[in-house]
Amino acid sequence: MSMPFYVSPEQLMKDRADFARKGIARGRSVIAIQYADGILFVSENPSQALHKVSEIYDRIAFAAVGRYNEFENLRIAGVRLADMRGYAYDRRDVTGRGLANAYAQTLGTIFSSGGEKPYEVEIFVAEVGDTPESDQLYRLTYDGQVADEHGYAVMGGAADVVAGHLAEHYVAGASLADALRVAVAALGHSESEDRVIPAGDLEVAALDRTRSQPRKFLRLREARLTEILGGRGSEQADAPAPEDALAGSGPRHSGQDDPADPTDQVSGATPPLEDPVTGEPPVAPPATPPASEPPVAPPPPQPGQPGAPGQPTAPGTPPPPTEPGQV
Amino acid sequence: MGDSRLPASFMTPGTSSFADFLGVQAPDLLPSRRAVPAGAAGDLAPHGTTIVAATFEGGVVMAGDRRATMGNIIAQRDIQKVFPADEYSVVGIAGTAGLAVEMVRLFQTELEHYEKIEGTTLSMDGKANRLAALIRANLGLAMQGLAVVPLFAGYDLAADQGRIFSYDVTGGRYEETAFHSVGSGSLFARGSLKKLYRDDLDAEGAVTAVIQALYDAADDDSATGGPDITRRIFPVVHVITADGGVHMPDDQVAAIADRILAARMERPDGPAASLT
């Protein structure tokens, strides 16, 4: 007879928040920064196709960090909501605030519903106005909280360090080029070094109120970025991050359990429920561990460290299979 | 709390089409889903009339007259019937004005929606096919007299040329070469363009040719409006090249129209083509 464990609501919410925060912290940062003619988004993203910053509507843009499939889902929902509202009413009736509210309700509901995994995302919703004072920048977290940001905002992995650098160097009302330089320097800044991010690895987009078309969103391509940023010293690409989808990298068969990789086929210290070939349950472990070796609790998995050494096998459990399919 | 999140259809992946999404989420917003009582309804609403388009070296122009009629009444003398569909294409509409303007809005949203969701624009043929699907969905209303017949033109970046597509009420899509016209005055406009069109026209030459054609259409068709010189109302003209589409400013159109009018003071039937 088994009794369900009691988990306090505080603990439950804390666990879910920790889970979401861990997922977000694995990604690289995105900066939204206000400049004289609008709002600029800068992120380090080696992929040319999988965007973190996108257009939602005439004056509204969307930026996100975290799990790609989840924020892509939110982005498409936002485009549909905005286009439907603009079609049913008028283009001017689509507002960033309305969109931010819809996202907040959605994220909040998913976070607090027991049956769903919380979204591991954080998003910016920005709307450019006719004057810098009427620009709006909302930051939404995984649990549906909305913050109204001014000047600049950072989300993602090293958000604190990047925001610290921006706090020192941000100037209100800067030109596009100046704002871009400050943001790129902040993204390359870490406690140990100041890295020059290659222009080809930057994803930069802006909501520019001076654009003559009704659609104010534009992407700044590599050629334009090189022109603005100019000579910055030798460029240094970032080390591969878990969020980079490397071509051809399927599930890893390292023989070791990597807690950060849900696609690995090894379960580390956890014995398989049954023999994968015969379907027989495994031989029951000895009732008492050998006296010479006291049981050692495995160290907690280190998040954000792909390829961390496998956990030591707890005594009394069968060794993990070295290769899937081998018994 | 569960009611406040975005409905599941917003989060469902799959379609990049705004019209398809609207059909699931809010079908009453689609122009073709309106229930109309049985019987002819064609005389209820204003009709838009003549649209002409012509290609030239490096682009395409489209022009529409400004008249909407209800039977023998002129319902509006400055209606706009030519609209940009996206940056590189333009759509002009003849038929029931109210439905047509709504369909153009749906088509514009459709193209922009695809562009935002997919991160790339539809091909020229893809755009033409989407418009055909919207027209086909309107067949029920068309059979009750509320037909919408568009003319679609744009610059095909892949083929580096201007292209023109015409449609019938069943959604049939036909690519036209050189020039085409739809609407009540289209027979006269096409006849006029036959004599005026040449392969070596430049943008201004093509604009002049389509305004001449609209003049000829207005000359013989009571539902097509000619240049209104007292109110200074002139055709709406869009020119699309590899740099994108522009709505030609009214003063430029007026200058060309004034030249044409001055020439027609001498010869009311317009320029004479050589016999051989």
Side-chain angles (χ1 to χ4, degrees):
Chain A
M1 220 182 110
S2 66
M3 288 282 287
F5 288 107
Y6 171 74
V7 182
S8 70
E10 290 85 357
Q11 186 62 40
L12 188 71
M13 286 302 152
K14 189 178 169 303
D15 285 353
R16 291 172 76 88
D18 283 346
F19 169 79
R21 235 181 266 135
K22 253 183 238 171
I24 294 161
R26 276 200 278 271
R28 298 196 182 92
S29 305
V30 173
I31 293 177
I33 183 167
Q34 276 183 276
Y35 71 103
D37 293 332
I39 301 168
L40 181 71
F41 299 89
V42 187
S43 79
E44 187 175 8
N45 182 8
S47 169
Q48 300 294 313
L50 307 176
H51 295 302
K52 288 183 176 181
V53 186
S54 320
E55 173 186 15
I56 295 277
Y57 210 65
D58 288 355
R59 295 172 159 271
I60 304 172
F62 171 97
V65 293
R67 281 186 90 87
Y68 179 79
N69 64 325
E70 290 174 351
F71 67 69
E72 175 69 4
N73 214 337
L74 288 171
R75 180 185 75 86
I76 288 175
V79 171
R80 285 174 174 167
L81 182 71
D83 276 346
M84 197 170 102
R85 200 164 282 177
Y87 177 69
Y89 301 105
D90 186 76
R91 295 195 80 89
R92 277 167 301 183
D93 299 316
V94 181
T95 61
R97 196 177 57 86
L99 191 67
N101 280 335
Y103 280 145
Q105 296 293 349
T106 304
L107 286 169
T109 309
I110 291 171
F111 180 76
S112 54
S113 88
E116 277 174 285
K117 176 189 95 58
Y119 271 25
E120 297 162 67
V121 295
E122 233 175 282
I123 56 184
F124 285 148
V125 173
E127 181 179 8
V128 69
D130 293 327
T131 58
E133 294 74 41
S134 53
D135 288 350
Q136 291 165 42
L137 177 58
Y138 300 99
R139 171 212 191 98
L140 291 105
T141 50
Y142 51 86
D143 56 354
Q145 284 189 61
V146 192
D148 190 358
E149 303 275 2
H150 296 281
Y152 61 89
V154 190
M155 60 188 180
D160 296 345
V161 181
V162 176
H165 189 270
L166 273 177
E168 284 173 37
H169 296 90
Y170 171 74
V171 182
S175 68
L176 175 71
D178 289 341
L180 178 64
R181 276 188 218 109
V182 168
V184 172
L187 280 181
H189 177 76
S190 68
E191 272 144 9
S192 53
E193 53 162 3
D194 276 302
R195 196 162 52 83
V196 176
I197 300 172
D201 284 358
L202 286 169
E203 181 184 349
V204 180
L207 285 168
D208 182 351
R209 82 179 104 255
T210 61
R211 235 169 107 86
S212 54
Q213 290 98 323
R215 290 164 71 179
K216 306 295 182 193
F217 183 86
L218 77 159
R219 291 189 187 282
L220 280 73
R221 309 280 175 194
E222 187 178 345
R224 179 86 197 283
L225 293 177
T226 314
E227 184 189 316
I228 294 175
L229 293 170
R232 297 173 295 155
S234 64
E235 295 178 336
Q236 190 189 347
D238 196 9
E243 63 175 8
D244 298 339
L246 295 173
S249 71
R252 275 177 273 164
H253 307 291
S254 61
Q256 290 177 337
D257 180 31
D258 177 2
D261 181 5
T263 62
D264 71 355
Q265 302 188 353
V266 185
S267 54
T270 315
L273 287 175
E274 58 197 28
D275 187 301
V277 175
T278 62
E280 290 293 318
V283 181
T288 51
S292 56
E293 268 185 74
V296 180
Q302 299 286 313
Q305 277 193 10
Q311 299 163 13
T313 311
T317 52
T322 50
E323 203 62 35
Q326 283 189 1
V327 190
Chain B
M1 183 89 187
D3 296 330
S4 53
R5 70 189 273 185
L6 285 168
S9 56
F10 282 81
M11 313 283 275
T12 312
T15 180
S16 307
S17 161
F18 180 69
D20 291 357
F21 170 70
L22 217 52
V24 174
Q25 179 61 29
D28 52 312
L29 288 177
L30 284 175
S32 53
R33 298 282 181 93
R34 304 278 151 72
V36 177
D43 298 333
L44 286 177
H47 280 242
T49 46
T50 311
I51 309 288
V52 289
T55 57
F56 60 92
E57 189 70 37
V60 59
V61 301
M62 187 182 282
D65 75 306
R66 305 295 290 272
R67 182 171 288 180
T69 58
M70 269 175 81
N72 64 319
I73 302 290
I74 293 173
Q76 199 181 352
R77 51 180 108 255
D78 61 350
I79 193 174
Q80 186 187 353
K81 291 181 287 189
V82 178
F83 302 88
D86 68 356
E87 206 178 333
Y88 289 101
S89 62
V90 63
V91 57
I93 38 125
T96 310
L99 275 177
V101 169
E102 205 175 344
M103 200 167 286
V104 166
R105 252 162 41 85
L106 181 62
F107 184 52
Q108 288 169 330
T109 312
E110 176 88 11
L111 297 186
E112 187 189 321
H113 189 78
Y114 182 93
E115 187 184 331
K116 287 190 288 199
I117 294 224
E118 296 291 329
T120 177
T121 51
L122 274 168
S123 64
M124 191 66 197
D125 295 274
K127 293 175 197 171
N129 285 337
R130 279 314 301 173
L131 184 56
L134 298 184
I135 299 301
R136 193 172 301 125
N138 197 49
L139 182 58
L141 290 177
M143 294 186 54
Q144 290 179 263
L146 299 173
V148 175
V149 181
L151 185 63
F152 180 60
Y155 190 82
D156 188 338
L157 289 168
D160 267 337
Q161 60 172 23
R163 295 173 71 184
I164 300 171
F165 293 90
S166 71
Y167 298 84
D168 63 31
V169 289
T170 64
R173 184 208 91 164
Y174 314 97
E175 179 156 13
E176 307 289 341
T177 49
F179 58 86
H180 196 73
S181 175
V182 294
S184 61
S186 60
L187 294 179
F188 310 110
R190 223 180 302 170
S192 171
L193 271 175
K194 249 187 216 171
K195 303 294 172 235
L196 294 175
Y197 183 82
R198 285 180 292 280
D199 289 337
D200 58 352
L201 289 173
D202 59 359
E204 193 181 336
V207 172
T208 309
V210 293
I211 295 178
Q212 288 276 22
L214 282 177
Y215 190 104
D216 282 326
D219 212 13
D220 290 315
D221 170 35
S222 61
T224 304
D228 189 335
I229 46 172
T230 52
R231 297 187 183 84
R232 307 299 289 170
I233 299 170
F234 297 102
V236 173
V237 180
H238 280 257
V239 182
I240 304 147
T241 61
D243 300 329
V246 288
H247 181 174
M248 200 172 195
D250 273 350
D251 53 341
Q252 286 183 30
V253 180
I256 294 173
D258 283 340
R259 273 209 303 280
I260 290 172
L261 285 166
R264 297 237 177 191
M265 291 297 206
E266 308 290 322
R267 189 172 188 284
D269 290 339
S274 67
L275 281 176
T276 52

